Amino acid sequence: GNSVTQMEGPVTLSEEAFLTINCTYTATGYPSLFWYVQYPGEGLQLLLKATKADDKGSNKGFEATYRKETTSFHLEKGSVQVSDSAVYFCALAAARGSTLGRLYFGRGTQLTVWP
Amino acid sequence: DGGITQSPKYLFRKEGQNVTLSCEQNLNHDAMYWYRQDPGQGLRLIYYSQIVNDFQKGDIAEGYSVSREKKESFPLTVTSAQKNPTAFYLCASSIERTTDTQYFGPGTRLTVL
């Protein structure tokens, strides 16, 4: 089946620290992978995505590489800012069959960045 | 501007009442989705629709109903049969039901008193 496991939070960092949020997945076929971000009281916003193995998604200083061999899609940022404080969700879009296109989410990781 | 709107942002209802949450999109997307979010959990799929007049149950459809009479609209009704309806509800859409990106609305927080 399809599932996503991501690092449990909360994660608390000082401004300019390096961020890694781990995400691993189980899937049938070759899913697309996503990171979404949710600010308090809001919906989810797409942060970045990758659609095939070895693709690197990047946006706003965040990066994640689609690693088929380790079934991972870890989120990284070299220097976090206070404005990055949010909940981050890893997700996969099923690639085939009756679940085609369905998104499967991890539980989310709360990130808090202190000045 | 294109996007997804959900209304209202906050909704309060008494136990035993049905309530309908609105979701509208002007992105010309074929596929639409409803998710439920509870604290500390990921999003869970309630219903989804690939095209007008067609929809399928997701993982937690019991106690919910939907309709898709127009391409741009996908309302969700939370019925009195839903045992624990208090949650944050998110609507999303995508161009079609593929591995393409889903775009989310701002959400509706439903509280049942």
Side-chain angles (χ1 to χ4, degrees), chain A residues 31-32 34 36 38 41-44 46 49 89 93-95 97-108, chain B residues 9 33 35 37 40-43 45 48 57-59 88 90 97-107 109:
Chain A
S32 291
F34 304 84
Y36 282 89
Q38 184 179 36
E42 298 184 8
L44 274 66
L46 176 68
K49 70 176 184 180
F89 290 94
S98 62
T99 60
L100 174 65
R102 284 189 52 173
L103 278 181
Y104 294 82
F105 286 88
R107 288 177 173 253
Chain B
K9 188 169 179 64
Y33 310 81
Y35 295 89
Q37 184 179 20
Q41 298 193 34
L43 279 67
L45 183 64
Y48 61 102
K57 294 181 179 180
D59 298 324
F88 191 49
L90 288 158
R97 189 190 143 208
T98 65
T99 54
D100 197 32
T101 303
Q102 289 184 23
Y103 296 90
F104 285 79
R109 184 165 299 282

Side-chain angles (χ1 to χ4, degrees), chain B residues 6 21 34-36 46 64 76 85 87-90 107-108 110:
Chain B
Q6 292 185 243
L21 282 59
W34 274 106
Y35 295 89
R36 171 180 171 141
I46 304 172
Y64 299 97
L76 173 74
F88 191 49
Y89 291 88
L90 288 158
T108 292
L110 172 63

Side-chain angles (χ1 to χ4, degrees), chain B residues 33-106:
Chain B
Y33 310 81
W34 274 106
Y35 295 89
R36 171 180 171 141
Q37 184 179 20
D38 295 283
Q41 298 193 34
L43 279 67
R44 293 182 289 169
L45 183 64
I46 304 172
Y47 269 97
Y48 61 102
S49 168
Q50 301 176 71
I51 55 172
V52 174
N53 293 322
D54 179 70
F55 48 84
Q56 288 82 39
K57 294 181 179 180
D59 298 324
I60 55 166
E62 185 176 352
Y64 299 97
S65 65
V66 293
S67 63
R68 186 86 187 276
E69 296 177 0
K70 298 185 296 183
K71 185 175 184 177
E72 60 270 23
S73 179
F74 190 41
L76 173 74
T77 296
V78 184
T79 75
S80 56
Q82 168 51 233
K83 295 179 183 178
N84 185 19
T86 295
F88 191 49
Y89 291 88
L90 288 158
C91 179
S93 71
S94 61
I95 293 174
E96 58 182 356
R97 189 190 143 208
T98 65
T99 54
D100 197 32
T101 303
Q102 289 184 23
Y103 296 90
F104 285 79

Side-chain angles (χ1 to χ4, degrees), chain A:
Chain A
N2 299 298
S3 66
V4 173
T5 302
Q6 68 179 97
M7 189 170 102
E8 290 190 16
V11 174
T12 303
L13 296 172
S14 297
E15 205 165 27
E16 299 183 2
F18 184 84
L19 169 70
T20 299
I21 301 177
N22 291 336
C23 172
T24 57
Y25 68 90
T26 302
T28 304
Y30 301 95
S32 291
L33 300 173
F34 304 84
W35 277 101
Y36 282 89
V37 58
Q38 184 179 36
Y39 297 99
E42 298 184 8
L44 274 66
Q45 300 175 24
L46 176 68
L47 182 58
L48 53 85
K49 70 176 184 180
T51 59
K52 61 182 187 295
D54 299 325
D55 268 3
K56 177 185 283 188
S58 61
N59 185 29
K60 300 180 181 179
F62 291 90
E63 293 183 339
T65 302
Y66 189 160
R67 301 286 189 199
K68 182 172 178 294
E69 62 276 13
T70 55
T71 62
S72 65
F73 193 55
H74 305 320
L75 182 68
E76 296 183 337
K77 187 176 185 182
S79 177
V80 294
Q81 305 300 312
V82 172
S83 57
D84 294 327
S85 298
V87 180
Y88 292 82
F89 290 94
C90 184
L92 71 83
R96 63 171 62 175
S98 62
T99 60
L100 174 65
R102 284 189 52 173
L103 278 181
Y104 294 82
F105 286 88
R107 288 177 173 253
T109 301
Q110 171 74 56
L111 170 67
T112 301
V113 180
W114 295 100

